[in-house]
Amino acid sequence: MTNPIKRKRQDGEPASKVGLNSKTRTARDRKIMLEDAEYATMEENILLLESQILKSQMDYNSIPTLRDFCGSEHPSRRRMLAVGALFRIFCRFISLGKLSLSPAHVEVQGNVDLSDSETVVIYWLRRAFDDYKEKLRNILLASSCSVDEQRSTLVLLMRLQQHQSDFLGEHFWESDNYSFESLIVTIVDPECQESIRQEFVEKYVRPYDDVRFWTLCCLRKEHLRLDTLDNIISILALLETDTGERKNMNHFFQKIRHQDVKNTAKHQKHAQQLWLNILQCPLSRTQRKNILSIMTTHVAPWFTRLELLMDFLTDSFDAGGSTSLAALAGLFHLIQKKNLDYSQFYPKLYSLLRSDILHSSHRSRFFRLLDVFLASTHLPAALVASFIKRLARLMLSAPPSAIVVVVPFTYNFLTKHPICTFMIHRKPEYSEWVEGAGMADPFNMAEPDPMKSKAVDSSLWELETLQSHYHPNVATMAKIISEQFTKQAYNLEDFLDHSYKSLLSAELSKDLKKPPVIEHEIPKKIMLENPDPAQEDSQLVRQWSFR
């Protein structure tokens, strides 16, 4: 057999990659084999300890060894093997009653007889079980543990909770020794990931009425801290709020159920008190806005006494800006849907009509809400006239992008409330004195009460003024008030998103039918009088006086 021809390696060419890859692959395979062998040995040792503990009480001292393997400092595979082994061990102990004190272990006075060796063992096992659950809760908070590992740990904690309740009775969830509260404290901890919190709510709290009940109880008793407040609000925002409308509670996580779990009024009581505790905390602006955004869907349905929300909504209104709008939206929902009596709603809404509202970034949202708030045709004419007149006055100093919103908005309200159209038809009795000195407008801009502003005695002369606006689009839009009202209503969504940029782009994109007239001669003086009497001053100098 002839030897294969070997290619000569060129100068500067590296050694054969095949040989290097073979060595690397061999080293990697050897490492994997060693890890698999170590894992197999470790699994055998953990399973051996588990079987010994279950067989003989003499091997209970091996429980701390397995518990130490559950720490976050150990490798994931070893940690999860130990977690699973201890889970099976303690489930077996719970089923056999090795964690419960029988009446024989307790004296008549209620004190535990610690002289009995069996009682000492029970107390030792209970402490070991508590330490094991603490290890599981630490896994939920450990950043070194993967999300899948934390999800599996959450499942084990809930299965332990279920197993204990099935064997220890209906009062297990509220007892001091076996409390559900420690798990809830872990779930709302800032170190716990949001995905674990969402899974806990979607997998246990929302489907099961008893888990939701005890979750609300634990959160209500929990001392609310500023660092956990956002997490508690996010949990409550994920809950379904139809509990008060349901007559029967029939979805339970545990077999033996506490009597209060079946009572819908108890669910509402705990949720209402929890929300009241949250609303009394020193909330940040962001937290307040988040609560207001879910006020009508996830907060108000829990309350049997809606007047308890009034202080929070009123304080939120006083915060100003978009927070005031969100507060008024919550108030309007309670008035419209829940028959809440709040006579100061429209005066507070009227107070938001300031010049800054037309320059703010939440102008579009304001007009959407204002359109809803004033949609009723049963509002007094004096009230509607005050809103129309105040908006018209604000348009005199508003940017063009805001004016093109207010004009169709005013048009819609005049068509919806035809009794207010007298404001565009009222003409003053002109005289030489009126033409020379002007006329006083009876409308009182500083009056906070819209029913006393005397807008019904005024006219919308501001809209006629806007017909001479420097911006052609604004001037054209303002002329619709002077024409016949043939259109039923304008769609406000077509105007709400206008800005300086959109108006300028619309002008630049137009096709010029006729080129604009320009001056071919550049004047020597623009803002000052021309020294040469033979030359005419510029139009700017003729119309303005600069001193």
Side-chain angles (χ1 to χ4, degrees):
M1 181 177 66
T2 60
N3 294 329
I5 299 175
K6 296 183 178 180
R7 183 176 66 86
K8 184 178 180 180
R9 182 165 60 90
Q10 301 295 329
D11 294 339
E13 184 179 2
S16 173
K17 297 180 181 180
V18 177
L20 289 176
N21 286 342
S22 299
K23 293 179 181 179
T24 304
R25 186 168 60 252
T26 303
R28 185 170 61 250
D29 293 343
R30 188 182 299 112
K31 182 179 180 180
I32 294 176
M33 292 175 61
L34 290 175
E35 289 179 354
D36 291 342
E38 181 183 359
Y39 176 77
T41 304
M42 178 177 56
E43 182 179 13
E44 291 176 358
N45 293 336
I46 290 178
L47 293 177
L48 179 62
L49 289 176
E50 177 186 352
S51 62
Q52 291 174 350
I53 292 171
L54 292 175
K55 286 180 181 179
S56 173
Q57 182 174 333
M58 301 298 296
D59 294 307
Y60 283 179
N61 288 329
S62 298
I63 292 179
T65 304
L66 290 177
R67 185 191 60 211
D68 293 339
F69 288 154
C70 297
S72 58
E73 66 277 4
H74 289 279
S76 175
R77 302 174 78 177
R78 179 188 303 173
R79 180 169 56 246
M80 294 312 293
L81 281 174
V83 165
L86 285 175
F87 173 78
R88 293 186 291 271
I89 290 172
F90 284 113
C91 284
R92 182 71 178 275
F93 286 171
I94 293 172
S95 303
L96 297 176
K98 292 188 177 183
L99 298 180
S100 303
L101 292 173
S102 63
H105 300 141
V106 183
E107 296 179 354
V108 179
Q109 291 82 3
N111 299 322
V112 178
D113 184 12
L114 295 178
S115 61
D116 185 18
S117 59
E118 185 177 355
T119 304
V120 174
V121 172
I122 292 175
Y123 263 85
W124 186 87
L125 288 176
R126 289 168 70 166
R127 285 196 299 270
F129 184 46
D130 291 339
D131 293 340
Y132 169 63
K133 289 190 293 184
E134 182 66 26
K135 290 285 187 181
L136 296 183
R137 291 191 291 269
N138 290 337
I139 293 177
L140 293 180
L141 302 178
S143 58
S144 58
C145 299
S146 64
V147 176
D148 292 337
E149 192 175 343
Q150 291 175 340
R151 287 175 177 171
S152 301
T153 303
L154 177 62
V155 172
L156 294 182
L157 279 168
M158 291 304 296
R159 288 182 62 182
L160 284 174
Q161 193 76 17
Q162 184 182 35
H163 204 65
Q164 286 178 272
S165 64
D166 292 341
F167 284 92
L168 299 180
E170 63 179 8
H171 296 287
F172 159 72
W173 290 72
E174 60 179 351
S175 62
D176 294 330
N177 294 331
Y178 301 95
S179 178
F180 182 62
E181 185 176 353
S182 55
L183 175 59
I184 298 300
V185 172
T186 304
I187 292 295
V188 300
D189 193 280
E191 299 296 329
C192 185
Q193 297 192 39
E194 183 65 26
S195 58
I196 301 300
R197 217 165 6 252
Q198 291 181 357
E199 180 163 351
F200 172 71
V201 175
E202 294 173 0
K203 198 171 182 178
Y204 299 103
V205 182
R206 294 182 65 178
Y208 301 109
D209 297 324
D210 50 352
V211 178
R212 179 177 58 252
F213 176 82
W214 293 115
T215 300
L216 293 173
C217 289
C218 294
L219 290 176
R220 177 187 172 184
K221 294 186 297 183
E222 173 68 11
H223 177 67
L224 298 178
R225 306 196 316 266
L226 296 180
D227 57 341
T228 63
L229 206 55
D230 287 328
N231 297 334
I232 295 176
I233 294 174
S234 65
I235 289 177
L236 294 176
L238 294 174
L239 295 184
E240 297 178 351
T241 55
D242 61 343
T243 306
E245 301 175 0
R246 290 163 50 186
K247 297 181 179 179
N248 298 320
M249 296 288 183
N250 49 15
H251 301 285
F252 300 108
F253 186 69
Q254 59 176 346
K255 295 179 181 179
I256 304 175
R257 294 172 289 277
H258 195 279
Q259 195 64 30
D260 289 345
V261 174
K262 306 175 185 178
N263 191 341
T264 58
K266 293 289 185 179
H267 283 253
Q268 284 190 288
K269 177 184 177 181
H270 290 298
Q272 175 178 291
Q273 187 58 47
L274 174 58
W275 272 118
L276 287 176
N277 295 342
I278 293 175
L279 299 182
Q280 292 171 1
C281 293
L283 301 172
S284 65
R285 189 180 183 89
T286 303
Q287 291 170 339
R288 188 176 292 271
K289 291 175 68 174
N290 290 338
I291 294 176
L292 289 172
S293 65
I294 60 173
M295 175 63 66
T296 59
T297 56
H298 291 83
V299 181
W302 290 111
F303 277 71
T304 56
R305 296 176 56 197
L306 294 173
E307 60 271 13
L308 296 175
L309 294 172
M310 292 301 302
D311 291 339
F312 172 74
L313 292 173
T314 305
D315 293 341
S316 300
F317 174 83
D318 296 335
S322 58
T323 307
S324 298
L325 293 180
L328 284 181
L331 281 171
F332 185 75
H333 172 80
L334 298 181
I335 293 171
Q336 189 180 43
K337 302 296 183 181
K338 305 296 183 179
N339 297 323
L340 181 68
D341 185 16
Y342 185 63
S343 59
Q344 294 299 312
F345 175 78
Y346 285 104
K348 286 187 175 294
L349 177 62
Y350 187 71
S351 66
L352 291 180
L353 294 180
R354 299 186 298 267
S355 58
D356 57 343
I357 197 69
L358 298 181
H359 295 79
S360 65
S361 58
H362 52 270
R363 179 183 62 211
S364 299
R365 186 186 178 206
F366 172 77
F367 279 102
R368 287 189 181 97
L369 291 175
L370 188 62
D371 190 32
V372 175
F373 297 157
L374 300 176
S376 176
T377 57
H378 300 286
L379 294 175
L383 179 70
V384 178
S386 295
F387 278 92
I388 295 176
K389 178 64 178 179
R390 193 177 183 92
L391 284 172
R393 183 66 61 85
L394 293 175
M395 280 194 291
L396 295 178
S397 59
S401 56
I403 298 176
V404 296
V405 177
V406 180
V407 171
F409 183 85
T410 304
Y411 180 95
N412 291 349
F413 271 85
L414 290 175
T415 56
K416 189 178 297 183
H417 303 275
I419 194 173
C420 294
T421 54
F422 62 84
M423 299 177 69
I424 61 176
H425 298 302
R426 178 178 287 134
K427 299 292 183 180
E429 297 180 359
Y430 287 101
S431 63
E432 296 180 358
W433 181 86
V434 172
E435 293 178 357
M439 182 187 69
D441 193 338
F443 173 67
N444 186 3
M445 188 75 172
E447 174 58 50
D449 190 352
M451 298 297 293
K452 301 177 181 179
S453 66
K454 297 182 180 180
V456 292
D457 300 328
S458 181
S459 63
L460 296 178
W461 57 266
E462 296 89 351
L463 294 176
E464 186 173 355
T465 303
L466 291 174
Q467 295 176 7
S468 302
H469 197 275
Y470 74 90
H471 198 289
N473 288 355
V474 174
T476 303
M477 181 64 69
K479 290 178 182 178
I480 65 174
I481 302 297
S482 300
E483 299 173 357
Q484 188 174 359
F485 283 23
T486 57
K487 193 177 182 67
Q488 184 175 1
Y490 283 91
N491 185 10
L492 287 182
E493 295 297 329
D494 297 337
F495 306 94
L496 289 175
D497 295 328
H498 274 304
S499 61
Y500 274 119
K501 184 178 180 181
S502 63
L503 292 176
L504 183 60
S505 300
E507 287 295 323
L508 294 177
S509 61
K510 285 183 179 179
D511 296 331
L512 294 177
K513 298 180 181 179
K514 183 179 179 181
V517 179
I518 60 174
E519 293 186 0
H520 295 281
E521 297 181 1
I522 301 177
K524 296 181 180 180
K525 301 292 184 178
I526 298 178
M527 302 183 66
L528 298 176
E529 295 180 357
N530 202 322
D532 188 0
Q535 294 185 358
E536 187 180 4
D537 293 333
S538 66
Q539 187 176 4
L540 185 64
V541 175
R542 295 196 304 268
Q543 293 181 351
W544 292 83
S545 176
F546 299 96
R547 291 186 176 88

